[in-house]
Amino acid sequence: MKKLYALTALLLGMMGCSEETITYTNPVPGDEPSGIAAELGISSKNTWFAAEDERNASIGFKSLGGEVVVDIQTNTTWKYDAVNAGWLTIEKDDVADQLVLNCEGNKVEEQQQATITITAGDKTATISATQNAYGTLEIAASKNNFQIPAVGELTAEFEVQSTDEDWIFETKDCPWLLLEQQGDKVTMTLDPNEEIEDRETTFVLIAGEGGGEIPSLKRSASRRTAPSTSTFR
């Protein structure tokens, strides 16, 4: 019994001598773990967004205003800084890693300009944003590419924004496509495609004497097994 007691005391003593204090420090936002290089890229599906490369781009807002969502590709936290952006509303979405830029209609007869810089670690990306001056002749479609099946739902629509209230559209002679305008909305109705070849056409929106954006339309041909869908360009 004495030997067992002595052994137990010795083990407890050894355990007591091996205690360590571990201190955890929360990382400062923006600091990078040692050895990990920051990555950064920007992109957008909006046609007003023009990329020069992965980290430099420009956005050309219409005088009527609008919204552009910029996707931020990075492996770390990021922030942004804006210069001369009083005409812009900018929202940072940390969940989706997006920067949302909005502007109202331009009320002055001069172009608005701003620069937005995005920083992630030691990497930066730059967006040059402009907005057309008040009174600029312009026209834009809410969508300019369409995907229509050979059969089934054969209608689609889009809205038009223009500084010319008397804008019009022109299209080639196309017996399988009907375009109807009601206010600022254009509705497309198509005939079923029973051929084995795809159908494709384009039409032009016109404001003043010049042409605007050109919505394009490509129809898919029907197949005897199952109708396929088209790819719009």
Side-chain angles (χ1 to χ4, degrees):
M1 181 64 67
K2 292 182 178 179
K3 292 182 179 180
L4 178 59
Y5 178 83
L7 178 60
T8 302
L10 178 60
L11 289 174
L12 290 173
M14 293 174 63
M15 292 173 65
C17 294
S18 63
E19 290 183 357
E20 296 181 1
T21 301
I22 301 175
T23 303
Y24 293 92
T25 303
N26 292 326
V28 177
D31 286 356
E32 298 305 313
S34 178
I36 299 179
E39 299 176 359
L40 178 61
I42 57 175
S43 63
S44 177
K45 296 179 181 178
N46 196 298
T47 56
W48 296 350
F49 181 95
E52 299 175 12
D53 51 45
E54 291 185 353
R55 296 206 297 270
N56 293 279
S58 61
I59 299 175
F61 287 94
K62 303 296 184 181
S63 66
L64 298 172
E67 176 182 282
V68 175
V69 178
V70 179
D71 296 307
I72 312 298
Q73 295 89 37
T74 184
N75 60 347
T76 184
T77 56
W78 57 279
K79 60 183 180 180
Y80 77 91
D81 182 60
V83 178
N84 298 327
W87 55 278
L88 277 172
T89 299
I90 306 175
E91 297 181 3
K92 181 177 184 284
D93 188 336
D94 290 313
V95 176
D97 276 336
Q98 291 178 332
L99 203 61
V100 183
L101 288 74
N102 277 281
C103 68
E104 301 293 333
N106 194 352
K107 305 300 183 182
V108 297
E109 296 181 351
E110 61 182 25
Q111 187 186 66
Q112 305 276 24
Q113 295 182 334
T115 301
I116 299 94
T117 303
I118 301 161
T119 304
D122 62 344
K123 301 294 192 302
T124 59
T126 302
I127 299 174
S128 298
T130 60
Q131 184 183 23
N132 288 343
Y134 172 80
T136 301
L137 183 62
E138 59 193 20
I139 188 168
S142 60
K143 185 177 180 181
N144 55 19
N145 292 289
F146 301 88
Q147 182 173 350
I148 308 295
V151 296
E153 181 57 52
L154 300 177
T155 62
E157 64 182 26
F158 61 91
E159 293 184 353
V160 176
Q161 281 189 319
S162 178
T163 52
D164 178 9
E165 295 181 355
D166 299 321
W167 63 269
I168 61 173
F169 61 81
E170 289 185 355
T171 183
K172 301 175 183 178
D173 183 20
C174 187
W176 49 268
L177 171 65
L178 172 65
L179 294 177
E180 296 176 291
Q181 178 184 351
Q182 185 175 6
D184 292 333
K185 183 181 295 183
V186 176
T187 301
M188 301 179 293
T189 305
L190 298 89
D191 294 334
N193 187 0
E194 299 178 352
E195 305 298 328
I196 61 173
E197 298 295 332
D198 289 349
R199 291 172 173 173
E200 183 174 4
T201 191
T202 60
F203 49 94
V204 182
L205 303 177
I206 299 175
E209 298 180 354
E213 297 184 17
I214 306 176
S216 62
L217 173 69
K218 183 178 180 181
R219 284 289 313 286
S220 68
S222 62
R223 304 293 187 261
R224 295 305 176 186
T225 54
S228 63
T229 56
S230 64
T231 302
F232 287 75
R233 306 179 186 281

